[in-house]
């Protein structure tokens, strides 16, 4: 209940100050840079471009700032490509079993939003590609736990509520929505506001709870 309250308060803050979306995305980009710096220092990782074994079989979870980044990048594609991606996400969201199913953002063995990929994808690292190929039980390398302890948790602690909850709340990739009328992807935040981030600007629209919580 406390999480929902903070999400609604964060939505209210964003509704009144839409520029906060850019600030939230900037914070996530800063966090990603710190994470990447640690990963790039690791020796012997087998991960490389075109290796997509880990992109099958699950509904990727990401934080709200990560999703805002992903949506912003998706909205940079052509209108025709956005519709194709939206159709894939819609089909994906109706599945009951993801076993053997590719992530809807995977295309030609490449991630469409690689630069904005969420933490789970960013750190899903392996020292032996054969383990990934043969679907052996996966164990995260020890350095991932260190990244969480030394980088992610201290970073989140420096963000005040209610916005910290945005960085702590995980939502599945299937929660990415598409406005077929406007031809743009968006995020439904706590059923209070609709956030449409694009490379050019961010638009905010009130949703069902807006009258109750935003005094619209």
């Amino acid at each position: 209940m406390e999480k929902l309250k903070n999400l609604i308060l964060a939505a209210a803050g964003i509704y009144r100050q839409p520029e906060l979306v850019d600030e939230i995305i900037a914070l996530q980009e800063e966090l990603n840079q710190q994470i990447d710096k640690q990963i790039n220092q690791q020796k012997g990782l087998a991960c490389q471009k075109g290796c997509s074994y880990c992109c099958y079989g699950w509904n990727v979870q990401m934080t709200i700032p990560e999703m805002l980044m992903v949506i912003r990048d998706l909205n940079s594609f052509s209108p025709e490509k956005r519709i194709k991606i939206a159709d894939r996400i819609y089909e994906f969201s109706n599945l009951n079993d993801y076993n053997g199913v590719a992530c809807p953002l995977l295309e030609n063995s490449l991630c469409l939003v690689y630069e904005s990929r969420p933490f789970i994808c960013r750190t899903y690292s392996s020292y032996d590609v054969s383990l990934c190929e043969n679907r052996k039980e996966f164990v995260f390398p020890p350095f991932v736990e260190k990244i969480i302890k030394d980088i992610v948790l201290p970073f989140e602690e420096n963000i005040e509520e209610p916005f910290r909850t945005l960085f702590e709340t995980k939502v599945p990739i299937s929660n990415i929505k598409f406005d077929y009328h406007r031809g743009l992807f968006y995020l439904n935040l706590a059923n209070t506001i609709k956030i449409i981030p694009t490379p050019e600007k961010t638009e905010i629209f009130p949703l069902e709870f807006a009258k109750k919580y935003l005094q619209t």
Side-chain angles (χ1 to χ4, degrees), residues 25-169:
I25 288 177
L27 283 172
Q28 185 61 51
E29 289 176 329
E30 179 185 337
L31 177 58
N32 288 348
Q33 289 171 6
Q34 293 183 38
I35 293 169
D36 287 347
K37 183 178 180 179
Q38 290 299 312
I39 294 174
N40 292 337
Q41 292 176 2
Q42 306 307 312
K43 305 295 184 182
L45 292 179
C47 307
Q48 57 183 320
K49 185 175 182 179
C51 179
S52 59
Y53 296 116
C54 61
C55 302
Y56 289 78
W58 51 325
N59 192 358
V60 172
Q61 301 279 322
M62 65 187 83
T63 65
I64 289 170
E66 287 175 331
M67 183 168 280
L68 288 171
M69 285 187 65
V70 167
I71 292 174
R72 179 197 62 184
D73 286 2
L74 289 176
N75 282 333
S76 70
F77 291 118
S78 69
E80 295 77 16
K81 188 163 187 174
R82 290 200 297 266
I83 291 175
K84 290 181 180 179
I85 297 169
D87 290 344
R88 287 207 301 264
I89 294 176
Y90 177 76
E91 293 174 5
F92 185 83
S93 68
N94 287 319
L95 295 175
N96 294 317
D97 183 4
Y98 301 105
N99 185 39
V101 179
C103 171
L105 304 187
L106 185 68
E107 193 169 278
N108 298 321
S109 296
L110 297 175
C111 177
L112 291 171
V113 291
Y114 184 78
E115 294 301 323
S116 296
R117 67 198 186 283
F119 178 84
I120 188 68
C121 301
R122 200 170 286 272
T123 58
Y124 205 98
S125 308
S126 174
Y127 293 105
D128 186 349
V129 70
S130 67
L131 296 179
C132 305
E133 183 178 6
N134 296 317
R135 303 291 176 181
K136 299 292 185 181
E137 183 177 353
F138 182 84
V139 178
F140 276 96
F143 72 81
V144 175
E145 184 176 347
K146 181 174 174 57
I147 287 175
I148 295 173
K149 179 182 176 182
D150 295 347
I151 297 177
V152 178
L153 294 181
F155 187 92
E156 292 175 349
E157 288 172 359
N158 285 327
I159 300 173
E160 296 183 358
E161 291 290 16
F163 298 102
R164 183 191 303 171
T165 299
L166 299 178
F167 289 83
E168 296 174 339
T169 302

Side-chain angles (χ1 to χ4, degrees), residues 7-27:
L7 288 176
I8 292 172
L9 288 173
I14 291 170
Y15 183 75
R16 297 186 183 97
Q17 295 180 276
E19 64 273 16
L20 287 174
V21 173
D22 292 333
E23 294 181 22
I24 290 167
I25 288 177
L27 283 172

